[in-house]
Amino acid sequence: MNFFKNNLTIKILAGLCALLLWIFVANIDFKVDYLEKEIPIKAYNIREDLALASDLGKIKLKVRAPKSLWPKLQHDSIDAYIDLKTYDQGEYEVEVKISSQDPKIQVLEKEPKKVRVVLEPLVSIKREVSLEISGYSAQGYEIKETMLSPKEVEISGAKSILEKIRKVAAPFELKGEFEEIKTEVVPKAYDENNQEIDNLSFSPQSIEATISFKKSTGVKKVEIKAKTTGAPEKGFWIEKIEISPATVGISGPTEKIKEVNFLETEEINVSGIKETKEEKVNLILPSEIQANPNQVLVKINIASSITTKSFAAAVGFENLDRKLKVDFSNPSSILLIVEGDSEILNSLSSASFKAEVDLKGKKAGTYHFKISQENISLPQKVSLKDFEPKEIEVNITEK
């Protein structure tokens, strides 16, 4: 017993050092960090008569893995999923589970831990498919005819998801072809904002597309104009619209081509947006006119009309005894940095701002006053970001 009691502190410290050394050795070849990209959450074992009606989103993971694995650590080696085997129709909060193909990869943290899941009865509808061709045919050639077989597909999913469908299209990109093409294309469903809709299944999953070509009867280059609907969120505006390509070649009967001086895109909804938006859109083509390409990339650059500006607000005084006067203040003005709509700020001057100091009860002498936001008066729709100085010196004398 004396052996254990003697030098107890040293023995505890030695034990702690041994433990820390073991932890260090165990982790020396490992790296702990968040994965660069979030992982999509999948749903497994949904009952055959049910469909997912909610977006599961993605999960952020913090993992511990050997340093040698990190350069080639792929998201497909880690699976984020929810198991819905025992769930009936309704709304639930379900825990997200993680599995890894490599046992040396350990998940330390996950965000979110649970996701909202909505299950609805599985329903099906039939919709016609359109072939959406992008790219370009060979010089001097244009598309003669396109065919899809079958022209219609059956789409299965939750009713609330199916109601969002505005069009069903099979995209295909040309790369300078001029001979007839037969290929398999994959149908996709899109909402009113031309965004692809998830959580749907198609039957058949792919359809055959046939594209034939003919020599152009007449070719003309025309400008493209982007057609937008709605307005950005208040405080933001469309700074510039970039279209790529800015011009396209059109072909068709000579008399028809003469009538076309520009082409418009399908409507692009910019309602409520506050950041730059990039979208591929189809061109609106007059009867008997073809464009090469018939789809363009439109980039709508959004800028904020909120800006900052500085003003010098003169220091004013209130509630000073009538027998006294302010001999001087150092400094005599406060530099304000304010934020607001650029049009409003450009219409203001330093006289629009006030910095008031309350001298109630003060006698002759020199004082130092702390300046806070409460001392500063601002015009409407203008906010204060910063100001200097935070303290002023005031000398009061008798009249």
Side-chain angles (χ1 to χ4, degrees), residues 231-243:
E233 187 171 302
K234 188 176 181 182
F236 295 84
W237 56 286
I238 298 176
E239 182 181 37
K240 181 172 61 172
I241 297 179
E242 300 175 66
I243 304 174

Side-chain angles (χ1 to χ4, degrees), residues 13 22 29 36 50 52 122 135 147 153 191 224 228 231 241 287 296 339 351 355 385 392 396:
L13 289 174
W22 179 85
D29 290 325
E36 185 179 348
L50 296 177
L52 192 63
L122 180 71
M147 289 188 297
V153 293
D191 62 18
I224 306 301
T228 62
I241 297 179
S287 175
V296 295
E339 184 178 70
K385 291 199 71 178
I392 65 169
I396 302 173

